[in-house]
Amino acid sequence: MNSSAFLSGGSFFMLSVSYRGRFAPSPTGPLHLGSMLVAFGSWLLARHAGGQWLVRIEDVDRTREVPGAAANQLTTLEAFGLQSDLPVERQSDRQPLYQRALQQLLTDGMAFECHCSRSDLADQGGIHRYCAGQRQRAQPATRLRVADGNRIGFEDALQEYFEQDLGTEVGDFVLLRADGCWAYQLAVVVDDAEQGVTHVVRGADLMDSTPRQMFLQQQLGLATPHYLHLPLLLDTEGRKLSKSLAATPVDASDPLPALRLLWSLLGQPTASLGKTSSVWRLLDTAAHQFNPQLLQRAPVQLMQAPGCP
Ligand SMILES: [Zn+2]
């Protein structure tokens, strides 16, 4: 099945007042073109569906947070005209929600304390299937139990069907780290459900997190949202943008060239945006002209480094 056949047959793009999407950056630095592709793509899909679009700052991993990065990201989004329809949420303010979910999983016997270090898991290929910890830690991690033979797959609205054997490919995964930070997987699942997110649009680099998140949703009795994973953005050398020197921040003082570039990277015809010099007019036109059938599944490669004329 090619992507356009699936797109036209799926329900992802039907006009719906119950569509709620989100963009959820981690405050690890300024937004670069790859993150803005996801921001603009998820905004366009939400607008196309007549739905809402939220911004959430994913700052649970305090060891990776860069001071000032969250404020910088919000300033950039505002300059690009991409504003959250509801007040911006920060995961650091939402810890009681994660604690409640963790307690439910502990009570149900699905989660357990784990004293294993990374080296303790060497005999299991680094994938936790049983506790092999040699010593008690003052603060253990908490993991989710994954039974053998637990295969979880999903139909993405853009990418090919994706499936994982959670036991052999992921193992019992961490919900609360030994350093006290909440794991990304738990925070995202709790937040998406609590915020009523119905459609998760994000980069294809997160495809392999989705089965874990679906399993968590099942264990917590939460609904599974629709998923659409946008293509990765590659630099002019074919490397993933965020891993390369070309991952330079977008210029918040001059958003129009970047918005036009992102529009074309999302497979949309450049001429359809017209010649406006207003961000608001460009976004209004983009929201009306956007055609999700034109989204590409394969990674998209920049033809020239961002910022070059
Ligand atoms: Zn263990």
Side-chain angles (χ1 to χ4, degrees), residues 22-66:
R22 65 6 175 231
F23 174 60
S26 299
T28 54
L31 294 172
H32 56 71
L33 210 56
S35 16
M36 288 306 293
L37 187 77
V38 176
F40 193 30
S42 60
W43 183 89
L44 284 165
L45 283 157
R47 287 291 175 266
H48 181 79
Q52 291 179 312
W53 185 77
L54 312 184
V55 175
R56 181 172 76 222
I57 300 293
E58 301 210 321
D59 57 353
V60 277
D61 190 345
R62 297 187 296 272
T63 61
R64 291 180 62 226
E65 183 170 356
V66 173

Side-chain angles (χ1 to χ4, degrees), residues 18-157:
S18 60
Y19 184 116
R20 182 175 280 178
R22 65 6 175 231
F23 174 60
S26 299
T28 54
L31 294 172
H32 56 71
L33 210 56
S35 16
M36 288 306 293
L37 187 77
V38 176
F40 193 30
S42 60
W43 183 89
L44 284 165
L45 283 157
R47 287 291 175 266
H48 181 79
Q52 291 179 312
W53 185 77
L54 312 184
V55 175
R56 181 172 76 222
I57 300 293
E58 301 210 321
D59 57 353
V60 277
D61 190 345
R62 297 187 296 272
T63 61
R64 291 180 62 226
E65 183 170 356
V66 173
N72 178 286
Q73 291 176 341
L74 293 173
T75 301
T76 300
L77 289 172
E78 193 174 340
F80 276 70
L82 306 176
Q83 286 181 308
S84 182
D85 291 321
L86 293 174
V88 173
E89 295 280 359
R90 291 166 195 269
Q91 288 185 328
S92 52
D93 295 334
R94 301 166 63 79
Q95 306 211 33
L97 293 171
Y98 313 143
Q99 184 62 51
R100 202 179 310 155
L102 186 75
Q103 191 54 52
Q104 182 183 330
L105 294 167
L106 284 165
T107 303
D108 292 349
M110 286 305 302
F112 62 97
E113 288 191 347
C114 165
H115 293 265
C116 298
S117 66
R118 197 165 293 209
S119 57
D120 291 329
L121 301 182
D123 289 346
Q124 306 177 57
I127 291 175
H128 192 289
R129 303 306 291 132
Y130 54 88
C131 276
Q134 299 298 313
R135 61 184 178 84
Q136 293 282 107
R137 291 202 219 184
Q139 185 171 9
T142 307
R143 291 181 183 269
L144 187 68
R145 198 178 304 286
V146 176
D148 288 336
N150 189 346
R151 295 191 73 83
I152 293 190
F154 68 101
E155 293 282 2
D156 192 85

Side-chain angles (χ1 to χ4, degrees), residues 33 236 261 301-309:
L33 210 56
T236 52
L261 175 58
Q301 188 167 356
L302 283 172
M303 301 309 286
Q304 59 188 26
C308 294

Side-chain angles (χ1 to χ4, degrees), residues 7-304:
L7 291 171
S8 58
S11 60
F12 198 93
F13 306 109
M14 288 174 66
L15 189 68
S16 163
V17 290
S18 60
Y19 184 116
R20 182 175 280 178
R22 65 6 175 231
F23 174 60
S26 299
T28 54
L31 294 172
H32 56 71
L33 210 56
S35 16
M36 288 306 293
L37 187 77
V38 176
F40 193 30
S42 60
W43 183 89
L44 284 165
L45 283 157
R47 287 291 175 266
H48 181 79
Q52 291 179 312
W53 185 77
L54 312 184
V55 175
R56 181 172 76 222
I57 300 293
E58 301 210 321
D59 57 353
V60 277
D61 190 345
R62 297 187 296 272
T63 61
R64 291 180 62 226
E65 183 170 356
V66 173
N72 178 286
Q73 291 176 341
L74 293 173
T75 301
T76 300
L77 289 172
E78 193 174 340
F80 276 70
L82 306 176
Q83 286 181 308
S84 182
D85 291 321
L86 293 174
V88 173
E89 295 280 359
R90 291 166 195 269
Q91 288 185 328
S92 52
D93 295 334
R94 301 166 63 79
Q95 306 211 33
L97 293 171
Y98 313 143
Q99 184 62 51
R100 202 179 310 155
L102 186 75
Q103 191 54 52
Q104 182 183 330
L105 294 167
L106 284 165
T107 303
D108 292 349
M110 286 305 302
F112 62 97
E113 288 191 347
C114 165
H115 293 265
C116 298
S117 66
R118 197 165 293 209
S119 57
D120 291 329
L121 301 182
D123 289 346
Q124 306 177 57
I127 291 175
H128 192 289
R129 303 306 291 132
Y130 54 88
C131 276
Q134 299 298 313
R135 61 184 178 84
Q136 293 282 107
R137 291 202 219 184
Q139 185 171 9
T142 307
R143 291 181 183 269
L144 187 68
R145 198 178 304 286
V146 176
D148 288 336
N150 189 346
R151 295 191 73 83
I152 293 190
F154 68 101
E155 293 282 2
D156 192 85
L158 182 61
Q159 306 295 330
E160 290 180 359
Y161 179 79
F162 184 81
E163 187 179 69
Q164 259 179 351
D165 183 322
L166 284 187
T168 58
E169 295 180 53
V170 177
D172 308 314
F173 56 94
V174 172
L175 303 171
L176 178 62
R177 293 174 4 189
D179 65 2
C181 286
W182 294 100
Y184 163 76
Q185 310 292 356
L186 178 69
V188 165
V189 162
V190 169
D191 285 337
D192 283 339
E194 196 278 335
Q195 293 187 282
V197 170
T198 58
H199 292 71
V200 172
V201 176
R202 56 188 180 189
D205 53 336
L206 287 168
M207 285 285 285
D208 69 355
S209 281
T210 306
R212 258 171 291 180
Q213 293 176 14
M214 292 172 67
F215 181 58
L216 254 175
Q217 287 152 3
Q218 292 165 12
Q219 301 312 309
L220 289 166
L222 303 172
T224 292
H226 300 276
Y227 287 100
L228 187 151
H229 290 82
L230 290 167
L232 286 185
L233 185 56
L234 307 178
D235 69 8
T236 52
E237 309 288 320
R239 297 169 300 189
K240 188 187 164 192
L241 201 65
S242 61
K243 299 267 166 62
S244 71
L245 292 174
T248 48
V250 291
D251 184 356
S253 69
D254 188 22
L256 285 167
L259 280 168
R260 290 183 186 281
L261 175 58
L262 294 167
W263 178 255
S264 66
L265 292 171
L266 289 165
Q268 310 299 308
T270 47
S272 59
L273 284 186
K275 292 189 183 305
T276 181
S277 57
S278 151
V279 168
W280 301 109
R281 225 167 278 146
L282 183 143
L283 288 180
D284 188 52
T285 306
H288 286 96
Q289 295 291 327
F290 179 64
N291 180 0
Q293 310 284 341
L294 298 176
L295 287 172
Q296 300 295 309
R297 175 186 288 174
V300 287
Q301 188 167 356
L302 283 172
M303 301 309 286
Q304 59 188 26

